[in-house]
């Protein structure tokens, strides 16, 4: 599960008019992060309990930080059973792996741990070649309600998709309750439905990806209009460290080389049909870099994105033609 420490780009929700009686705001902490929900109608009876219950249910399923979660037990080799949350997340992850030609891969857990982005301390000069033999989405398969792994040392990290999945599951709860106008944000992953107010769309602000920009909303670089879709942002300007020999180690890791990715692409914001897909695509774009991301987007016009990159020390923005922004 992506925690607050793994959310690379915070998104400021531009709600406005929160004092009006038909705007309900629900804030809290969950999954090691914050959540912010805005509902443009009075309909909150029992909603917080439903929200908290879903958070607990998903945390007990897919979290790598909860040692008692089902995923943690699978990674330790204690079980191979899957519940519905894990099964859906893994199915979607495998689809994204195939779409991305393996650059998106949830079997990178051995590398995540070696570089110190899990619960363990970083290993000085990890043996990447030895770890890569246990990395590769072709090493896992779903067989009914069980997960088959080619080797028990193959381990799963769903951080790049699970928080977006949680947003989507909350959206399902809201839809089932007849809530037609809402915005859900968990640690920067978002889904928006309907409108903020009559004829007023939901608008989110994207933070500038400069190092040291840790305060959400303090330095916005773009505002994006959302319309019944999911949004997620990935980047490397907050989650990184410098190792003992001066190398910058970022959390975005290429599953094919085993190496952290440092490139001119500073952040990738993606709008897609749902937040889980946007979540995974943002990670994928950060791995393949600016030019390959542009090529992929040209081949998939149904996906909208905002890519922020460095050009000779200056921020530059690439955005897809159909991305709706506030100038």
């Amino acid at each position: 599960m992506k925690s607050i420490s793994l959310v690379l780009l915070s998104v400021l929700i531009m709600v406005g008019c929160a004092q009006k009686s038909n705007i309900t705001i629900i804030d809290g902490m969950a999954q090691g992060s914050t959540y912010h929900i805005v509902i443009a109608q009075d309909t909150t009876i029992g909603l917080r309990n439903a929200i908290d219950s879903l958070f607990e249910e998903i945390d007990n399923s897919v979290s790598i930080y909860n040692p008692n979660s089902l995923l943690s037990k699978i990674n330790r080799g204690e079980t191979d059973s899957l519940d519905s949350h894990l099964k859906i997340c893994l199915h979607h992850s495998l689809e994204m792996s195939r779409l991305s030609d393996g650059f998106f891969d949830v079997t990178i857990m051995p590398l995540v741990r070696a570089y110190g982005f899990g619960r363990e301390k970083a290993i000085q000069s990890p043996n990447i070649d030895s770890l890569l033999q246990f990395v590769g989405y072709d090493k896992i398969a779903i067989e009914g309600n069980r997960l088959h792994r080619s080797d028990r040392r193959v381990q799963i990290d769903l951080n790049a998709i699970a928080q977006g999945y949680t947003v989507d599951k909350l959206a399902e709860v809201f839809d089932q309750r007849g809530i037609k106008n809402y915005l859900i944000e968990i640690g920067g992953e978002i889904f928006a439905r309907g409108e903020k107010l009559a004829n007023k769309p939901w608008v989110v602000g994207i933070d500038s990806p400069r190092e040291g920009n840790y305060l959400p909303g303090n330095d916005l670089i773009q505002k994006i209009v959302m319309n019944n879709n999911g949004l997620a942002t990935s980047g490397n300007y907050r989650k990184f460290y410098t190792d003992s020999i001066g190398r910058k180690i970022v959390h975005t890791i290429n599953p094919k080389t085993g190496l952290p990715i440092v490139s001119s692409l500073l952040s990738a914001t993606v709008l897609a049909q749902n937040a889980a897909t946007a979540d995974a695509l943002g990670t994928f774009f950060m791995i393949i870099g600016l030019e390959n991301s542009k090529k992929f987007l040209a081949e998939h016009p149904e996906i909208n994105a905002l890519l922020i990159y460095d050009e000779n020390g200056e921020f530059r923005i690439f955005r897809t033609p159909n991305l709706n922004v506030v100038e």
Side-chain angles (χ1 to χ4, degrees), residues 258-316:
L259 300 176
I261 298 295
V262 178
S263 73
S264 63
L265 182 58
L266 303 177
S267 72
T269 297
V270 181
L271 277 84
Q273 184 177 5
N274 54 65
T277 298
D279 203 356
L281 286 172
T283 298
F284 167 48
F285 290 161
M286 291 303 301
I287 292 172
I288 65 174
L290 177 64
E291 295 307 320
N292 285 326
S293 296
K294 288 181 179 180
K295 181 179 178 181
F296 180 89
L297 288 165
E299 295 169 350
H300 295 272
E302 74 279 6
I303 300 169
N304 281 304
L306 176 81
L307 308 178
I308 305 173
Y309 60 99
D310 177 89
E311 184 177 87
N312 300 320
E314 299 289 336
F315 289 156
R316 295 288 185 266

Side-chain angles (χ1 to χ4, degrees), residues 108-116 128 131-132 135 253-255 258-259:
I108 63 167
M109 187 63 169
L111 297 166
V112 170
R113 286 178 165 166
Y115 286 115
I128 300 302
L131 295 174
L132 281 175
V135 176
I253 301 168
N254 187 329
L259 300 176

Side-chain angles (χ1 to χ4, degrees), residues 15-317:
V15 293
C17 301
Q19 74 277 9
K20 291 186 178 294
S21 61
N22 64 337
I23 294 287
T24 300
I25 297 176
I26 304 174
D27 292 314
M29 298 289 297
Q31 300 178 341
S33 182
T34 61
Y35 68 86
H36 185 74
I37 296 170
V38 185
I39 303 170
Q41 61 191 80
D42 292 323
T43 177
T44 60
I45 298 175
L47 193 56
R48 184 178 286 276
N49 288 339
I51 292 168
D52 291 342
S53 177
L54 183 63
F55 280 138
E56 182 178 7
E57 186 178 311
I58 293 178
D59 183 70
N60 287 332
S61 175
V62 305
S63 173
I64 63 169
Y65 299 101
N66 177 357
N68 297 316
S69 74
L70 184 55
L71 180 57
S72 293
K73 292 176 181 178
I74 288 174
N75 282 338
R76 291 195 299 266
E78 298 172 6
T79 183
D80 61 0
S81 295
L82 299 173
D83 64 8
S84 61
H85 297 303
L86 261 177
K87 192 172 181 178
I88 293 171
C89 283
L90 285 168
H91 265 304
H92 197 30
S93 296
L94 290 172
E95 290 174 359
M96 296 305 300
S97 292
R98 290 186 283 268
L99 178 65
S100 67
D101 192 28
F103 283 101
F104 178 86
D105 196 320
V106 295
T107 67
I108 63 167
M109 187 63 169
L111 297 166
V112 170
R113 286 178 165 166
Y115 286 115
F117 292 110
R119 289 182 291 159
E120 300 80 5
K121 291 184 179 179
I123 299 172
Q124 183 65 38
S125 300
N127 187 332
I128 300 302
D129 289 339
S130 68
L131 295 174
L132 281 175
Q133 64 182 312
F134 309 118
V135 176
Y137 74 96
D138 59 338
K139 295 176 172 58
I140 61 173
I142 300 170
E143 299 177 350
N145 290 320
R146 298 188 179 279
L147 177 67
H148 172 75
R149 296 179 289 168
S150 62
D151 190 292
R152 291 171 66 87
R153 289 166 288 186
V154 175
Q155 296 184 328
I156 308 298
D157 177 2
L158 291 171
N159 275 339
I161 200 167
Q163 204 150 44
Y165 168 78
T166 304
V167 170
D168 294 334
K169 291 301 290 184
L170 275 177
E172 287 183 16
V173 171
F174 286 19
D175 291 344
Q176 291 166 1
R177 287 173 172 251
I179 302 173
K180 301 184 182 301
N181 300 288
Y182 61 83
L183 183 146
I184 302 168
E185 180 260 341
I186 306 174
E189 324 299 6
I190 298 174
F191 186 86
R193 174 85 71 198
E195 299 176 329
K196 178 177 66 176
L197 295 170
N199 300 317
K200 297 288 185 180
W202 297 106
V203 178
V204 301
I206 307 301
D207 284 336
S208 168
R210 60 176 176 80
E211 292 184 10
N213 183 13
Y214 293 106
L215 183 62
N218 187 56
D219 184 8
L220 297 178
I221 198 167
Q222 187 77 78
K223 296 177 183 178
I224 297 177
V225 177
M226 296 190 65
N227 181 23
N228 299 326
N229 49 15
L231 177 149
T233 304
S234 294
N236 283 324
Y237 70 99
R238 282 178 176 162
K239 187 61 177 179
F240 67 91
Y241 64 89
T242 303
D243 69 9
S244 60
I245 58 175
R247 296 176 302 181
K248 183 177 180 180
I249 306 297
V250 300
H251 90 114
T252 303
I253 301 168
N254 187 329
K256 297 191 177 186
T257 65
L259 300 176
I261 298 295
V262 178
S263 73
S264 63
L265 182 58
L266 303 177
S267 72
T269 297
V270 181
L271 277 84
Q273 184 177 5
N274 54 65
T277 298
D279 203 356
L281 286 172
T283 298
F284 167 48
F285 290 161
M286 291 303 301
I287 292 172
I288 65 174
L290 177 64
E291 295 307 320
N292 285 326
S293 296
K294 288 181 179 180
K295 181 179 178 181
F296 180 89
L297 288 165
E299 295 169 350
H300 295 272
E302 74 279 6
I303 300 169
N304 281 304
L306 176 81
L307 308 178
I308 305 173
Y309 60 99
D310 177 89
E311 184 177 87
N312 300 320
E314 299 289 336
F315 289 156
R316 295 288 185 266
I317 294 176

